[in-house]
Amino acid sequence: MKQFSRRQMMGAMALSPLVASPLARPALGQARYPSRPLQMICPWGAGGGTDATARIVAALLEKELGQPVNVVNRTGGSGVVGHAAIANAQPDGYTIGIITVEITMMHWQGLTELTYANYTPLGLMNRDAPGVQVSASSPYKDIKSLADAIKASPPGKLKASGTGQGGIWHLALVGWLQAMGLAPDHVRWVPSNGAAPGMQDLVAGGIDIVPCSVPEAKAMLDAGRARSLAIMAPERDPQFPDIPTLKETLGVDYNTGVWRGIGAPLKLPAEQAAKLTEALERVYKSAEYSDFMKARGFGMDWGDGQGFGKVMADTDRAMGEAMRAAGLVKS
C-alpha cells in the first residue's frame, strides 16, 4: 500500500472542498438557506391587486434569494382558507404568504380563530387609504359640503357601497362617521361584491358615496365620471397629490386603509426571518417594485418584521372597535 507523508495528507485536505470538520457543517447549512424553491401563498384570486402584488414580490425575491418563489392562490372563505394555509405551514422558511388586512377582521366576524398573532411578520409592502368618492354629477364639490350634507340628512337617507357588509370599506365609513360624532349607520350601507360594482352604482346614481381606495376608483376618476373628495390618511398620497386628507379639510383625524405584507408561520427560525426581511427590504427599495406599484396606483409603505407586526396589532384593535360599533362582532 502506498504511504503518504504528513505534508501530502495536509495538502490534500486543504485542497478538497469535501473535507470539513463536523462542527463546520451546521454553519454551512445555515449559510445555504434557501437551498430549494419557496412557496408564496396568496389568499385571494388571480388577477386581483393582492395577486399582482404577490407576483411582483415573488419575482423580485427570486433574484434576491437565488431560488424560485412560486405563488399559489388558495382562495375561499372570505380569505380564511389562504390565511390558514400560511399559518398552518411548516415553519421551515420555505412557505411564506401575503397577509392582508382581512386577518384583522375575520376573527371578529366569527369566521375563524386565526388572528395576526398566528404569524411571523416579515415585511409590510403596501398600504392604500380609502378615498371618499362621489359621482361627477353629485352636488358635492368638496368634502366639507358632503360632510355638512351627511350631518343635516336624516339617518339612512344617503347611501354608500363598495364592499360587503362588514368589509373594509364599510368599516372605513363607520369609523369616519363616528369620528364626526355620528351613529355608525347614519349613512346606509348597500352591500356589493367590491369597489368596481360599487363605482358603477355610484355613476349610475344608485348610491351617493363609495369610500374605497383611490386606485380602485382610478378608472372612473380618469374618465371624469367620479370625483375623489378626500382620503382617510395622515398625509396626502404622492400618487394622488391633489386629493386632500380629512384632517386638513375637516379637522377630522381619522385614518384607515388596506395593507399587504409578507409573513410566515409562527416559530420561524430567527436567522431565516432576518434573511427574508432583508431580502424583502431590497425588493421594496428596487426600481422594479416602485415602477410596478406606481403604474397601478398602489401605495407603498415599508415596515420590517417588528413594524409590520405593530401595523397588524393596531389595525386589529381599530377594526374590532369599528365592527363592535356597527354590531358586526360575533361572540
Side-chain angles (χ1 to χ4, degrees):
M1 181 180 295
K2 184 175 181 179
Q3 298 294 315
F4 293 94
S5 69
R6 184 173 182 276
R7 179 177 294 178
Q8 288 172 317
M9 289 287 288
M10 293 297 291
M13 290 177 67
L15 290 171
S16 176
L18 300 177
V19 179
S21 70
L23 292 176
R25 287 177 184 170
L28 180 62
Q30 291 173 7
R32 288 172 54 193
Y33 168 80
S35 59
R36 55 186 172 85
L38 284 74
Q39 175 180 249
M40 179 183 290
I41 296 173
C42 176
W44 304 100
T50 300
D51 177 70
T53 303
R55 291 183 186 278
I56 185 62
V57 171
L60 297 175
L61 203 55
E62 286 186 4
K63 298 178 182 179
E64 297 295 336
L65 298 177
Q67 289 289 344
V69 181
N70 303 309
V71 175
V72 178
N73 298 90
R74 296 287 301 276
T75 62
S78 300
V80 171
V81 172
H83 282 95
I86 301 168
N88 295 330
Q90 289 294 320
D92 58 6
Y94 289 96
T95 297
I96 58 178
I98 186 162
I99 299 172
T100 63
V101 69
E102 283 78 10
I103 195 60
T104 67
M105 301 162 58
M106 297 184 295
H107 68 99
W108 294 112
Q109 296 170 297
L111 299 177
T112 179
E113 294 183 358
L114 285 173
T115 75
Y116 70 92
N118 290 101
Y119 304 90
T120 299
L122 299 172
L124 176 68
M125 304 298 294
N126 151 257
R127 186 167 359 199
D128 289 307
V132 181
Q133 278 74 228
V134 297
S135 169
S137 60
S138 167
Y140 313 116
K141 306 300 183 184
D142 54 43
I143 193 66
K144 187 177 186 308
S145 63
L146 175 60
D148 289 343
I150 291 173
K151 293 174 182 177
S153 69
K157 179 181 179 181
L158 295 178
K159 296 176 289 184
S161 188
T163 187
Q165 187 82 6
I168 180 62
W169 304 137
H170 180 199
L171 298 181
L173 175 68
V174 167
W176 178 38
L177 292 174
Q178 288 185 296
M180 292 195 296
L182 299 171
D185 60 350
H186 190 87
V187 173
R188 181 158 65 93
W189 188 258
V190 179
S192 70
N193 289 325
M199 290 298 296
Q200 292 285 353
D201 288 343
L202 180 77
V203 300
I207 59 171
D208 304 289
I209 307 164
V210 173
C212 69
S213 71
V214 182
E216 290 176 301
K218 190 173 185 298
M220 290 295 186
L221 298 174
D222 290 347
R225 302 182 69 188
R227 290 194 296 271
S228 189
L229 304 182
I231 58 169
M232 303 178 190
E235 56 189 25
R236 295 194 184 201
D237 187 336
Q239 301 263 48
F240 307 99
D242 295 333
I243 304 175
T245 67
L246 289 177
K247 186 173 183 179
E248 66 181 283
T249 51
L250 298 178
V252 175
D253 192 10
Y254 174 69
N255 311 306
T256 190
V258 296
W259 43 253
R260 303 177 179 103
I262 306 300
L266 278 180
K267 299 182 180 179
L268 181 70
E271 296 86 356
Q272 294 182 1
K275 184 162 187 175
L276 288 167
T277 294
E278 290 167 3
L280 287 167
E281 185 172 11
R282 291 193 296 271
V283 166
Y284 179 85
K285 292 179 176 179
S286 69
E288 296 95 327
Y289 185 71
S290 178
D291 290 346
F292 180 92
M293 299 299 275
K294 287 179 180 178
R296 286 154 182 79
F298 293 163
M300 293 182 61
D301 196 4
W302 167 252
D304 60 11
Q306 183 177 0
F308 183 29
K310 185 178 186 305
V311 166
M312 290 197 288
D314 290 347
T315 306
D316 189 87
R317 182 175 59 256
M319 289 300 168
E321 292 172 357
M323 294 179 78
R324 189 171 288 109
L328 298 169
V329 171
K330 301 287 181 64
S331 57

